[in-house]
Amino acid sequence: MTREAPANDVDETQLEVGKPKSWAAGIPGVAVSLMRGMEQMGAARTVKTLRLLNQRDGFDCPGCAWPEPREVDGEHRKLAEFCENGAKAVAEEATKRRVGREFFAQHSIHELADKTDYWLGQQGRITEPFVLREGASHYEPISWDDAFTLVADELRALSDPNEAIFYTSGRTSNEAAFLYQLLVRSYGTNNLPDCSNMCHESSGAALAATTGIGKGSVSLADIHKADLIVVVGQNPGTNHPRMLSALEEAKGNGAKIMAVNPLPEAGLMRFKNPQNVRGVVGKGTPLADEFAQIRLGGDLALFQAIGHLLLQWEQETPGTIVDHAFIESSSEGFEDYAKHLREIDWDEVGVATGLPREQIERLARMIATSKRTIYCWAMGLTQHKHAVQTISEIANLALVRGMIGEPGAGLCPVRGHSNVQGDRTMGIWEKMPESFMDSLDAEFGIKVPRDHGHDTVAAIRAMRDGHGKVFFAVGGNFASATPDTELTEKALKSCSLTAHVSTKLNRSHVVPGKTALILPTLGRTERDLQAGGEQFVTVEDSMSQVHTSRGRLAPASEHLLSEVAIICHLAEALLGAGHAVPWRDFHADYDLIRDRIARVVPGCHDYNARVREPDGFVLPHAPRDSRQFNGTANGKANFTVSDLEYPQVPEGRLLLQTMRSHDQYNTTIYGLSDRYRGIEDARRVVLVNPDDLTELGLADGAMVDLVSEWRDCDRRAPRFRVVSYPTAKGCAAAYFPEANALVPLDAVADKSNTPVSKAVVVRLEPVAAP
Ligand SMILES: Nc1nc2c(c(=O)[nH]1)N[C@H]1C(S)=C(S)[C@@H](COP(=O)(O)OP(=O)(O)OC[C@H]3O[C@@H](n4cnc5c(=O)[nH]c(N)nc54)[C@H](O)[C@@H]3O)O[C@H]1N2
Ligand SMILES: Nc1nc2c(c(=O)[nH]1)N[C@H]1C(S)=C(S)[C@@H](COP(=O)(O)OP(=O)(O)OC[C@H]3O[C@@H](n4cnc5c(=O)[nH]c(N)nc54)[C@H](O)[C@@H]3O)O[C@H]1N2
Ligand code: SF4
Ligand SMILES: [Mo]
């Protein structure tokens, strides 16, 4: 399979490669925020918008899920409580550019299909609903009523509700998410795949089994109190930039930082905080005390080796390392774990990690002597075949040392999309527990289906095989974000209807089903006026804090509906006016939705009152709050035993990770500057270790096809420019989504079914330069 580059792609031969930066943020970060704001919004709107970003009376940043400081912790919000990439996310949404009737009259679907995600996104906000009718060459306007009738008719025509698929991306508010899952389940299916299936599903699976709750156990204040922070498989300088301020503060309090990554990411090395003088003019704060340049997928071996050393040292000096009191009172499985790690094959650990044994011993010593350890991770761990095992191994280390449910200690999966955690809390999951379904039934007097639905990978398979016929998405960009691009696009095109609730144009709109709809919606930044007056919504951050978000800008167009309104109107069209759920009341007054959330969703009692508190409220988390593990089957924290696994790479091949540049938000490309890595003006690049280049007989600047090798067939992504880069030996990196064509649909993580986007076996085939 070959995935051609879109015709209007940038010219990779013009690429500028500078030296990778050894520090993050500082003045260039401030400058870029303001510049992108001015380009998209103009001066007045930039100032107004950024003043409201992440403030109590303003809107939650539509970027990542990193939390804001809380008064209860004695912490205050600054006037500018955002980062460069938060400012870019806002500029992207609050842009003055528009995609309206003229645009679609001018550009045929054929022409649009040839554009990159970057070009599509840069065209601006969609202003009214559009339909692409069967056989038509252009999208044309459609009224909202006709659009809802069209979707309802298509859904009613299916022989089984399980032939419909309802995707969610993680920007959707709690209110919209709650109603969406209610609509989908009332209609009769649990086919609710979401971006989380491709993201932190592995973290959820590992933590639910080991600690009883699939969420992180720390607060921002804990990070400030920790004495050791392990940052593994994460690039916070780009993807959670304000985490660097938290790391800086922790360092100021004496913490040490251990970074585990195949890439020497600038944000892990040194941070220049633009909010203090030292950061603006000085050298900034050195962050990582120990940087372990691990091979892709070597983390399970690393954490097993560390576990082995901890147990060995405990044996040498009993009572110094293992928290026996905690293990005895609160856990199960320690003996098996200890037995499993008594012996370890150091040669294998060396091959898997690429790390010298002395360094692993230093890392283990840091963990052995820390009194308050926090483990942070993201996609570098979750998107591997053995991701769940790796995260469970981290949980093992935390349990050995009793590092959970204590101030300054715990497990911290750093979530991606700004409300991805909230969407799950509200029921967006293809396999919500029985108790949740029972509550829905009781609250609304309905009977929702219990059979588990399709996750993202299963949804693609269903469409490919003809069992998935209608695809509906609230947000996101399914075509580009998912693996195996060519196969997925074909699967989407085979649907009778694809419909997307979106703010901006993206690739998913131009790989249409027989009929396709674009339903434009309000963004976070925009005022949401309904029959009952101006509304706010609520979101949950990565640390389980639930709070309000109130849009304040004038909507991009008078024809936009809120996500809540779209879902309610669709429900009325599909389920009829007499349906047990009072859909019309809900979109008039969101307090009425929150009253229902309060009664259905665990931990959400008095929701309306508590979200109105200055910082909202924190959802309960038994291990964090009381060191209880009542969410597991045995009521204990569970040690787990995993075989040592790591990716196998044949001779002459490299292991490729697909990652984010500094200038994108997932499939939304803001620009072409991956500043911290020194890569400008290009995206079809592949970063390769200089020694590997020598062995492969390739030079920096060579053009290659990337060919991934999988048991069914080869997949080819043509014309990438080779960049000599200090990544771990044997490992390469290219950007998501350009490299998604290389990820086989069947390459998934054990237990979580997450696509393996960080360990693709590839060969580099030289091609002639243009
Ligand atoms: N600006 C911006 N912010 C974002 C996003 C964005 O696209 N842009 N996306 C949001 C979303 S949805 C998410 S999920 C997060 C993603 O946040 P990250 O997980 O930081 O995102 P990635 O770019 O996928 O980076 C993965 C990091 O893990 C490292 N890594 C890869 N494989 C391995 C491995 O095997 N072992 C170890 N130890 N490290 C490895 C990579 O070198 C890289 O530094 O960011 C969120 N925030
Ligand atoms: N190869 C590879 N693939 C990956 C990853 C990887 O690291 N490597 N990462 C995975 C991860 S972690 C994730 S989370 C997924 C992301 O997958 P998605 O969430 O599906 O993708 P996004 O690019 O975040 O979605 C962007 C689109 O959302 C729409 N949008 C933006 N704001 C709003 C809004 O307020 N409301 C609505 N309704 N729509 C809005 C816009 O139309 C925009 O084009 O991708 C996954 N795919
Ligand atoms: S750290 Fe994340 S949530 Fe905070 S301002 Fe930056 S992008 Fe937004
Ligand atoms: Mo994500």
Side-chain angles (χ1 to χ4, degrees), residues 93 167 169-171 195 198-199 379 383 417 474-478 481-482 501-506 509 521-524 563 658-660 665-668 736 740 743 757-758:
E93 180 178 303
Y167 178 70
S169 168
R171 241 178 223 186
C195 67
M198 301 180 270
C199 186
M379 298 305 101
Q383 298 175 336
H417 264 297
V474 176
N477 182 3
F478 193 85
T482 47
V501 178
S502 309
T503 50
K504 300 186 82 177
L505 208 54
N506 64 42
H509 305 126
T521 190
L522 294 175
R524 282 278 172 81
E563 290 184 343
T658 59
M659 60 178 189
R660 292 150 174 83
Y665 192 90
N666 298 337
T667 69
T668 300
F736 144 57
N740 284 40
V743 184
S757 308
K758 295 284 192 274

Side-chain angles (χ1 to χ4, degrees), residues 492-515:
L492 282 167
K493 284 183 180 168
S494 75
C495 289
S496 60
L497 173 72
T498 51
H500 290 90
V501 178
S502 309
T503 50
K504 300 186 82 177
L505 208 54
N506 64 42
R507 179 127 197 106
S508 299
H509 305 126
V510 299
V511 285
K514 287 189 187 65
T515 304

Side-chain angles (χ1 to χ4, degrees), residues 1-6 484-487 656 684 703-710 712-720 737-744 760-768:
M1 277 194 258
T2 302
R3 167 84 188 160
E4 293 300 335
D484 231 339
T485 313
E486 216 184 318
L487 182 157
L656 177 87
R684 289 185 87 82
M703 294 299 288
V704 294
D705 283 358
L706 297 179
V707 184
S708 80
E709 300 179 349
W710 182 250
D712 58 351
C713 66
D714 286 355
R715 287 166 176 76
R716 182 178 297 265
R719 309 202 64 76
F720 279 68
E738 285 80 353
N740 284 40
L742 298 167
V743 184
V760 186
V761 173
V762 292
R763 61 173 192 270
L764 274 47
E765 285 192 359
V767 291

Side-chain angles (χ1 to χ4, degrees), residues 263-287:
L263 293 172
E265 305 283 26
L268 296 170
M269 299 310 183
R270 191 175 272 279
F271 174 49
K272 295 190 184 184
N273 189 339
Q275 297 203 327
N276 67 35
V277 175
R278 195 164 37 115
V280 173
V281 296
K283 280 172 59 192
T285 311
L287 287 177

Side-chain angles (χ1 to χ4, degrees), residues 63-65 85 195 199-200 231-236 238-241 260-263 265 268 292 294-299 377-381 383-384 414-417 657-667 670 677 736 758:
C64 76
N85 278 342
C195 67
C199 186
H200 268 293
V231 184
V232 43
Q234 197 200 342
N235 178 19
T238 286
N239 296 316
H240 305 92
V260 184
N261 202 304
L263 293 172
E265 305 283 26
L268 296 170
I294 196 163
R295 292 197 53 205
L296 288 165
D299 306 84
W377 70 89
M379 298 305 101
L381 291 195
Q383 298 175 336
H384 282 284
V414 184
R415 305 298 302 251
H417 264 297
Q657 66 155 316
T658 59
M659 60 178 189
R660 292 150 174 83
S661 85
H662 191 64
D663 219 3
Q664 71 184 88
Y665 192 90
N666 298 337
T667 69
Y670 300 141
R677 299 194 184 110
F736 144 57
K758 295 284 192 274

